[in-house]
Amino acid sequence: MANLAEPSNSSLGFASSSSYASNGSIAVEAAAAAAAEGGSSLEVVSLSRLSCNLERLLINSDFDCTDADIFVDGVAVGVHRCILAARSEFFHNLFSHAAAAGERKGEGRRPKFNLDDFVPSGRVGKEAFMVLLSYLYTGKMKAAPPEVSTCVEALCAHEACRPAVNFVIQLMYASSVFKISELVSLFQRRLLNFVEKTLVEDVIPIVVVAFHLDLCQLQSHCIQRVARSDLDSIALEKEIPPKVIDEIKSISRNFQPCKVNDSMMDPIHERGIKRIHRALDSDDVELVKLLLSESSVTLDDAYALHYAVAYCDSKVVAEVLELGLANVNLKNGRGYTPLHVAAMRQEPTVIVSLLTKGASISETTRHGQSAVSICRSRTTTKDYYEKTEQGQESNKDRLCIDILERELRRNPLTEDDAVTSPLLADELHMKLLYLENRVAFARLFFPSEAKLAMKIAQADSTLEFAGLFKSRSSSNLREVDLNETPTMQNKRLRSRVDALTRTVELGRRYFPHCSQVLDKLMEDDFPDLFYLQKGTQDQQKIKRMRFCELKEDVRKAFSKDKAENGRSGISSSPSVI
């Protein structure tokens, strides 16, 4: 994401944004005087030093002189009431009323507040709150923390991905609540910039914040973008405030008069679709079955599976799938399959239910997005890389990506599916790299067995990919041959993927215990474990210990497979380098 404001060391002005903050006028007058004297006066130096000192006061935990707590995401953030009261009318009124109430009750305790109580129509996370707090203390606008404002999609420029949009929306809610008018203006410009860059489904939360905060210019811009899009009426009715929908539909007829003309749809057919949706809203799949028996409307006509995946409980999705009446890979008017919708929702149970019933991991939207890339582009770096303590529930966003990526590695793409977009091609190469490295490890630990499996699967006759153990000078499947058509390249890639997949399947069949060791290696230790000379001395020592443990695991697994298969002629013991 681009810098949230101007360069991170710039100042938007130290004075408070409201007319109330006469206390901050000293800073404004000092800045004006400094400007009149060429910007080198004592006031400028003093003001800059004051800003730095207040920032140190905010971040210095060694000497805590805070006198109130504001809870954000369940974590207490200590604040100085005198500073916030001088900088914001909102905090001045909040602390004054709290102090008066405490005096009436005879309380002398440290005041505590919950940020969620101040922002009923939106959410403000801790990172966004700290950015706003830093501005109130120092008068300087920090750049957005990348861990919460960038996604984990490798091909994303992070200029308008969902985490970038969501972070500015949080800042907008906080700025409006705290009555910091200059920041409201700044973030409105940021959101206006997002409207034309981001996908239309990511414009919806911008419409919502514009509506709740009465940001007319931003709301009008969003309405124009949505009206020009192919966003369906169901999404409008479910996700956008009703007062905005009529205006969107009115403008939409001007942009696309042939697109959505509700009068052209058979009223009986339309009524049947709405009844199915209402039944799903009520979690009543039995009623859905009854409606299907009494009407000519099918689940696919109503895009009922898409609807359930987007808006219903995961249990309802599973029950709809059990009916066996919906096409699990049906694309709606926007080119989304139910799995694409599930990736947007980021609910692991729903994703697993769809995959279990045959949802295709390789399908792409009109924009060339797969389910995996959709999920990655909506997951923040923080959520993806955040460590989960033992016994704690895994992050849902990370879990969704893991499930989809495992499915991508598990199922080779069909021969008829062409790699038509860079995103899908990248996923194919990711799968190929995983398989190459996995087979390379098998050849390292079980050379004879791996060689035999590759020969049976005919993997040794296909062109090798430059994987973990290959040098840059070796053959690389990603190199471009100008005489090779995309179809020929596609077949060449897939033939290698299919051959290596068969190799892995043979290994699982005849050497299940060894395969389990490789699975754990790929998930937990790959690839850093084999670079024993990297890291500090302590890290190298840990790696060597782990490598010795791994060798022992390999020997035990091989012995178990050998005993179960009754083999002795293939290899007397695994050869571990």
Side-chain angles (χ1 to χ4, degrees):
M1 175 180 169
N3 278 353
L4 200 55
E6 310 313 322
S8 58
N9 62 347
S10 67
S11 173
L12 292 175
F14 195 86
S16 173
S17 58
S18 66
S19 57
Y20 144 85
S22 58
N23 292 338
S25 62
I26 298 174
V28 176
E29 292 170 2
E37 297 176 15
S40 58
S41 67
L42 178 62
E43 287 83 355
V44 170
V45 176
S46 177
L47 187 61
S48 177
R49 183 172 297 171
L50 174 62
S51 175
C52 293
N53 289 339
L54 288 174
E55 183 176 26
R56 202 175 301 124
L57 184 67
L58 178 64
I59 63 178
N60 189 358
S61 58
D62 295 335
F63 178 66
D64 183 9
C65 57
T66 60
D67 56 3
D69 290 321
I70 297 178
F71 284 82
V72 191
D73 293 340
V75 178
V77 177
V79 298
H80 304 78
R81 283 181 288 173
C82 60
I83 296 177
L84 295 186
R87 295 281 285 128
S88 165
E89 180 183 5
F90 169 84
F91 282 113
H92 178 272
N93 294 334
L94 175 69
F95 297 146
S96 297
H97 294 157
E103 289 176 4
R104 287 196 300 269
K105 296 179 181 179
E107 296 176 352
R109 295 178 297 177
R110 181 184 176 102
K112 300 181 186 299
F113 308 91
N114 192 334
L115 185 62
D116 290 342
D117 296 338
F118 310 145
V119 194
S121 56
R123 176 191 173 272
V124 178
K126 183 180 177 183
E127 291 81 5
F129 178 69
M130 294 306 296
V131 168
L132 265 293
L133 203 60
S134 176
Y135 175 76
L136 289 175
Y137 272 67
T138 69
K140 296 178 181 180
M141 196 68 218
K142 287 186 174 181
E147 66 272 14
V148 291
S149 60
T150 60
C151 69
V152 293
E153 173 55 49
L155 300 180
C156 181
H158 308 306
E159 292 182 346
C161 56
R162 189 58 176 264
V165 172
N166 286 344
F167 189 72
V168 177
I169 286 175
Q170 291 181 39
L171 291 172
M172 175 61 86
Y173 275 122
S175 300
S176 177
V177 168
F178 300 157
K179 299 182 180 180
I180 313 175
S181 59
E182 68 271 21
L183 293 190
V184 171
S185 177
L186 171 67
F187 297 138
Q188 181 170 207
R189 293 196 300 272
R190 295 292 177 189
L191 292 174
L192 283 168
N193 187 43
F194 284 147
V195 171
E196 295 301 327
K197 289 184 177 181
T198 193
L199 296 172
V200 67
E201 52 264 26
D202 294 333
V203 175
I204 292 176
I206 303 179
V207 176
V208 174
V209 68
F211 174 78
H212 285 307
L213 302 183
D214 197 24
L215 304 171
C216 298
Q217 181 186 4
L218 180 60
Q219 180 174 308
S220 176
H221 204 57
C222 290
I223 288 173
Q224 293 288 327
R225 170 69 200 282
V226 174
R228 297 195 309 267
S229 74
D230 56 357
L231 197 66
D232 57 78
S233 59
I234 295 173
L236 291 176
E237 293 170 2
K238 296 290 289 187
E239 302 177 41
I240 293 179
K243 292 182 179 179
V244 182
I245 294 175
D246 291 339
E247 189 173 352
I248 291 175
K249 288 184 176 180
S250 175
I251 296 175
S252 180
R253 293 189 184 97
N254 296 330
F255 279 112
Q256 306 170 37
C258 299
K259 176 197 162 191
V260 184
N261 189 348
D262 296 336
S263 61
M264 293 177 63
M265 181 177 288
D266 179 3
I268 298 177
H269 189 80
E270 183 181 8
R271 194 157 51 245
I273 290 175
K274 289 184 176 179
R275 285 176 176 173
I276 290 175
H277 291 169
R278 284 198 295 268
L280 290 171
D281 286 334
S282 301
D283 298 346
D284 195 341
V285 179
E286 288 299 319
L287 178 57
V288 172
K289 290 169 63 177
L290 180 62
L291 292 172
L292 291 174
S293 66
E294 295 179 346
S295 169
S296 61
V297 178
T298 67
L299 289 180
D300 288 347
D301 290 338
Y303 292 108
L305 188 53
H306 291 78
Y307 188 92
V309 167
Y311 305 115
C312 299
D313 186 83
S314 58
K315 189 176 180 181
V316 174
V317 176
E319 291 177 0
V320 172
L321 287 168
E322 285 301 321
L323 295 177
L325 300 175
N327 179 0
V328 75
N329 290 310
L330 178 69
K331 289 191 175 183
N332 62 15
R334 304 192 62 233
Y336 284 69
T337 68
L339 188 60
H340 294 144
V341 178
M344 292 173 62
R345 180 177 173 179
Q346 294 178 289
E347 177 55 52
T349 308
V350 173
I351 291 175
V352 171
S353 296
L354 290 169
L355 292 173
T356 303
K357 292 297 182 179
S360 173
I361 190 69
S362 62
E363 293 286 347
T364 59
T365 68
R366 290 176 182 173
H367 302 287
Q369 286 189 299
S370 67
V372 179
S373 60
I374 289 173
C375 223
R376 289 187 194 130
S377 66
R378 300 171 81 85
T379 301
T380 66
T381 305
K382 176 185 176 182
D383 288 339
Y384 187 79
Y385 290 107
E386 189 175 31
K387 291 184 178 181
T388 303
E389 299 295 333
Q390 188 172 4
Q392 287 185 348
E393 186 177 349
S394 299
N395 180 278
K396 278 189 174 184
D397 297 349
R398 170 63 187 266
L399 187 56
C400 288
I401 294 175
D402 288 345
I403 292 169
L404 292 168
E405 288 184 343
R406 286 172 188 162
E407 182 68 17
L408 191 65
R409 293 193 294 262
R410 185 181 301 113
N411 292 331
L413 304 176
T414 62
E415 193 69 27
D416 295 333
D417 293 332
V419 180
T420 56
S421 73
L423 289 173
L424 187 56
D426 191 64
E427 288 165 6
L428 178 61
H429 286 101
M430 183 188 73
K431 179 180 178 67
L432 182 56
L433 182 60
Y434 171 85
L435 291 170
E436 289 283 7
N437 288 332
R438 196 182 194 287
V439 172
F441 283 131
R443 293 169 66 182
L444 177 66
F445 290 115
F446 320 106
S448 300
E449 294 78 5
K451 184 178 180 180
L452 178 60
M454 291 183 70
K455 185 174 182 180
I456 296 173
Q458 299 181 339
D460 53 349
S461 65
T462 59
L463 190 60
E464 197 164 4
F465 181 75
L468 179 66
F469 297 108
K470 301 297 172 187
S471 67
R472 293 185 180 272
S473 60
S474 63
S475 176
N476 191 333
L477 285 176
R478 300 190 77 161
E479 291 178 355
V480 177
D481 184 350
L482 297 179
N483 296 318
E484 187 178 45
T485 66
T487 301
M488 293 169 60
Q489 183 188 41
N490 187 25
K491 289 183 177 180
R492 179 164 58 87
L493 292 172
R494 291 179 188 280
S495 64
R496 182 66 177 173
V497 168
D498 291 344
L500 292 176
T501 300
R502 289 193 296 270
T503 302
V504 173
E505 289 174 350
L506 285 169
R508 293 189 188 282
R509 179 177 178 183
Y510 293 106
F511 303 96
H513 296 94
C514 294
S515 293
Q516 289 176 6
V517 172
L518 289 176
D519 287 340
K520 190 174 189 307
L521 171 65
M522 295 297 289
E523 291 182 4
D524 297 343
D525 300 306
F526 168 76
D528 191 53
L529 178 62
F530 287 84
Y531 297 101
L532 299 178
Q533 304 304 318
K534 286 189 174 182
T536 64
Q537 290 185 350
D538 290 339
Q539 290 173 337
Q540 293 177 23
K541 183 178 179 181
I542 293 172
K543 287 182 184 180
R544 284 192 289 270
M545 292 174 59
R546 179 67 188 100
F547 192 78
C548 291
E549 293 173 0
L550 180 61
K551 289 196 293 185
E552 184 61 27
D553 292 341
V554 168
R555 292 192 180 93
K556 290 179 180 179
F558 184 83
S559 298
K560 289 181 181 179
D561 287 332
K562 183 179 176 182
E564 291 179 4
N565 293 329
R567 297 186 178 190
S568 59
I570 295 179
S571 178
S572 59
S573 65
S575 175
V576 180
I577 298 175

